Amino acid sequence: MTILMNKCSWERHLIHPLVLIVTLWFVSKSASAFRTPRAFAWARRRHQHRTLTMAILDSPSAQRNKEPIWNVLSEIVLPLLPKDEPLSILEIAAGCGVHTEHFASKLSEREPSFQYYPTDLDPVSRVSIQGRIQQSKLVDNVNDPLSLTLDANGIVEEETAAALDSHGDLDLILCINMIHISPWEATRGLMRLAGKKLRKGGVLFCYGPY
């Protein structure tokens, strides 16, 4: 009696060959669905999104002051700028890109055609800026971030200077929270750069605790 019960219990746990074949076929078909071009594209986009999100940095202080600064720019500074051509804006010491993203997004609502050039000397910050540009779909108006260091003579990086020269004169130069944490030579270089690159009627806008 006991032997028979053990045998029956063992048989109840056996998988019928036909069930096993159908199960394996279903698993194989399901796995093949994830090997289609569409599935690979989905996985690639998901990976790129995760990588992009990890690369984007944040700045609580920039988050706090971005709207007050934009209010001054939009209400006082922008009306002063020449309107005969699309705006050309250079941002120096853009940091992780909070201001870049906010200002460019706001500009796109009122100026369909403008060119924005964010810069920073820190490569990690430039990666973050690039991430914010892509995340906010601003690639048509915001250029890839450039490395920019200032000394008493202006821009140190020759490639950056040449790239900006190729785009012509600027309407607006933004320099937020740089002067008080950088050597005096950088401020002298900023003034030299503004005198060289700003078109007639252009504005150098500086912000900081000074």
Side-chain angles (χ1 to χ4, degrees):
M1 186 69 174
T2 303
I3 296 175
L4 180 60
M5 288 180 60
N6 285 343
K7 182 178 179 182
C8 291
S9 175
W10 174 72
E11 287 177 342
R12 282 199 303 270
H13 288 84
L14 283 177
I15 300 176
H16 193 281
L18 181 60
V19 175
L20 179 60
I21 292 172
V22 171
T23 302
L24 291 176
W25 176 85
F26 177 78
V27 170
S28 175
K29 293 295 289 184
S30 299
S32 66
F34 291 96
R35 294 195 295 268
T36 63
R38 179 178 297 181
F40 278 125
W42 176 85
R44 184 168 59 251
R45 287 194 300 270
R46 183 172 177 82
H47 173 72
Q48 290 172 344
H49 175 73
R50 284 182 176 178
T51 303
L52 189 63
T53 303
M54 291 172 62
I56 294 176
L57 306 176
D58 201 12
S59 168
S61 60
Q63 293 289 359
R64 288 193 300 270
N65 64 33
K66 66 182 182 182
E67 190 62 25
I69 294 174
W70 170 251
N71 290 338
V72 174
L73 290 174
S74 61
E75 296 171 12
I76 299 175
V77 178
L78 293 181
L80 298 174
L81 301 178
K83 298 177 176 60
D84 54 333
E85 296 182 13
L87 288 179
S88 183
I89 301 169
L90 170 66
E91 183 182 3
I92 296 174
C96 63
V98 171
H99 291 142
T100 303
E101 180 180 19
H102 187 67
F103 299 160
S105 297
K106 291 290 189 178
L107 270 171
S108 64
E109 298 173 2
R110 54 185 289 169
E111 301 280 346
S113 180
F114 68 92
Q115 287 300 307
Y116 197 110
Y117 306 97
T119 67
D120 200 275
L121 58 81
D122 177 41
V124 176
S125 294
R126 294 198 299 274
V127 171
S128 179
I129 296 170
Q130 187 69 55
R132 289 183 178 275
I133 293 171
Q134 296 176 3
Q135 176 180 260
S136 299
K137 298 179 173 60
L138 296 168
V139 294
D140 291 337
N141 298 105
V142 183
N143 293 264
D144 292 341
L146 298 170
S147 175
L148 191 150
T149 309
L150 290 169
D151 64 10
N153 297 315
I155 299 176
V156 173
E157 295 89 342
E158 294 181 0
E159 291 184 1
T160 299
L164 292 175
D165 285 342
S166 68
H167 295 298
D169 292 335
L170 299 165
D171 296 295
L172 175 63
I173 296 178
L174 301 174
C175 185
I176 298 172
N177 283 333
M178 183 206 81
I179 291 177
H180 67 289
I181 60 171
S182 60
W184 178 241
E185 288 75 13
T187 300
R188 293 176 58 193
L190 173 65
M191 301 303 160
R192 184 181 293 272
L193 175 64
K196 175 184 176 183
K197 290 296 297 177
L198 284 174
R199 71 175 76 235
K200 184 177 181 180
V203 173
L204 167 62
F205 179 88
C206 298
Y207 172 94
Y210 41 76

